[in-house]
Amino acid sequence: MDVGVLTVALGGESLEDAFAYLSEQGVDAVELGCGGFVGDDHLPREEYLDDDEAQAELRDLLDEYDLYASALATHNNPLHPDDERAERADTELREAITLADQLGVDAVTCFSGLPAGGPNDETPNWITAPWPNEHHEAHEYQWEVAEEYWSDLAEHAADHDVKVGIEMHPNMLVYEPTGMLELRERTNEYIGANFDPSHLFWQGIDITEAIRFLGEEDAIHHFHAKDTKVYEANSRVKGVLDTEPYTEEPDRSWLFRSIGYGHGEEFWKDVVSTLRMIDYDGALSIEHEDSLTSPNEGLEKAIDVLQRSVFETTPGDAYWA
């Protein structure tokens, strides 16, 4: 199991400078943004797609710093009711899958997207309760939209032998593990999770149980290492569905935190052990979104915790069994 980093937090640095810095920190893998909300500072899709020379230069740079790409990232909303926005997100995702295939990267990370609540609506609608009944009907409509789109996208992924890791995220149709499995069952095995605990903590979901739940179906394709702290002084009053801006830290019920600042090292060792039990042996890709510290400090503290948590060798024979 490897320690990785989503390089978006280092977007102000050149690709080589980012690689050099991460290599110095002992990082094994990088996840490279190539479109959507995460941007493409380090991997502009159009500059690399179908360009053998540019792709060879990227491979050489990864080799120089003893790194590999665990995934390409393009997070957007391909189910958006605005056709232009949906088409742009779809193009980003399909081209990311094609580029991953060309680069020999086996996963692309993304969101499920979120449709409107009906065919005539203009705004995506995150439905979190089944009543009044029009919300239940809207939710059924959204799944029809999602199944049609993702069934086709899953075939594209299969054609390129690239796994799609969907991040379970609020304001997206798939935001928790049972929804993740439902989408996988409606499509194919190339659709799975980019398992990000940070969005599950505040929902009250048990992280290791969720890992086991998805792991039983071999449905974890990638892993984001990101922490969350629930601040109960606020959540006890207003709950956890919090619309305060992320930068209004004292007023929020929860915040994204650097690894170790929401849950301690013992917890992350339990996560790593559970991932090993389900035979996940990929990267733990650190995503820095902690507004209380700088990217470099947040990344370095997260790397420190995870390097003490991951296993570096394969299990030996259980001679005592």
Side-chain angles (χ1 to χ4, degrees):
M1 209 173 295
D2 299 317
V3 176
V5 168
L6 173 62
T7 67
V8 173
L10 303 174
E13 301 182 18
S14 70
L15 184 63
E16 182 164 8
D17 286 348
F19 283 5
Y21 165 71
L22 294 173
S23 181
E24 288 173 1
Q25 301 302 317
V27 168
D28 306 298
V30 288
E31 180 184 358
L32 300 171
C34 65
F37 298 126
V38 297
D40 62 359
D41 290 332
H42 289 150
L43 193 68
R45 227 174 36 261
E46 295 85 354
E47 295 180 17
Y48 286 87
L49 193 63
D50 300 322
D51 189 326
D52 293 340
E53 183 176 348
Q55 292 174 19
E57 290 175 358
L58 176 60
R59 291 191 193 93
D60 289 344
L61 199 61
L62 287 165
D63 289 343
E64 180 179 348
Y65 291 101
D66 197 24
L67 297 166
Y68 73 91
S70 65
L72 305 187
T74 175
H75 293 61
N76 210 328
N77 184 0
L79 305 181
H80 201 287
D82 183 305
D83 289 341
E84 184 176 339
R85 293 179 66 173
E87 288 171 8
R88 182 168 64 249
D90 175 60
T91 297
E92 290 168 348
L93 183 51
R94 289 178 185 275
E95 289 185 352
I97 290 168
T98 301
L99 180 57
D101 182 12
Q102 293 175 357
L103 289 169
V105 177
D106 68 1
V108 166
T109 59
C110 62
F111 293 140
S112 67
L114 182 67
N120 299 318
D121 295 351
E122 297 181 354
T123 305
N125 188 347
W126 187 38
I127 296 167
T128 58
W131 189 90
N133 290 337
E134 59 261 33
H135 296 279
H136 176 68
E137 293 167 1
H139 198 231
E140 290 184 327
Y141 163 80
Q142 290 181 321
W143 272 103
E144 291 171 4
V145 172
E147 182 174 352
E148 180 179 0
Y149 173 79
W150 279 101
S151 294
D152 186 63
L153 194 284
E155 291 302 319
H156 177 68
D159 289 343
H160 289 277
D161 196 24
V162 171
K163 296 177 181 178
V164 177
I166 292 174
E167 186 172 337
M168 297 170 282
H169 196 286
N171 286 318
M172 296 290 161
L173 183 62
V174 172
Y175 60 92
E176 47 76 34
T178 65
M180 181 69 260
L181 279 194
E182 180 168 355
L183 186 62
R184 181 178 171 87
E185 289 166 0
R186 290 180 184 230
T187 55
N188 67 26
E189 70 277 9
Y190 282 86
I191 303 302
N194 175 32
F195 194 105
D196 188 327
S198 68
H199 308 295
L200 306 183
F201 284 126
W202 62 265
Q203 295 183 62
I205 294 171
D206 186 286
I207 301 306
T208 54
E209 288 190 20
I211 290 171
R212 289 173 180 268
F213 175 76
L214 292 174
E216 288 177 358
E217 302 297 328
D218 195 25
I220 297 178
H221 292 336
H222 195 256
F223 191 95
H224 266 182
K226 190 169 77 169
D227 215 336
T228 290
K229 173 71 174 177
V230 176
Y231 294 93
E232 294 185 1
N234 291 332
S235 68
R236 283 196 296 264
V237 174
K238 64 176 180 176
V240 294
L241 293 176
D242 197 336
T243 56
E244 287 288 337
Y246 288 129
T247 51
E248 297 294 329
E249 293 93 349
D251 300 324
R252 282 193 54 80
S253 294
W254 55 268
L255 288 172
F256 296 134
R257 299 305 317 275
S258 302
I259 297 293
Y261 283 79
H263 299 78
E265 186 172 325
E266 182 178 354
F267 168 81
W268 288 99
K269 287 180 176 178
D270 195 18
V271 166
V272 166
S273 298
T274 307
L275 287 170
R276 171 154 283 192
M277 290 178 192
I278 65 158
D279 296 324
Y280 179 84
D281 196 30
L284 308 181
S285 186
I286 299 166
E287 182 180 19
H288 173 83
E289 290 184 347
D290 186 342
S291 60
L292 297 180
T293 187
S294 67
N296 289 68
E297 184 174 16
L299 288 173
E300 288 170 20
K301 290 183 182 300
I303 292 166
D304 179 55
V305 172
L306 290 183
Q307 284 177 334
R308 292 197 302 274
S309 301
V310 297
F311 297 110
E312 296 180 356
T313 61
T314 57
D317 295 332
Y319 58 86
W320 58 92

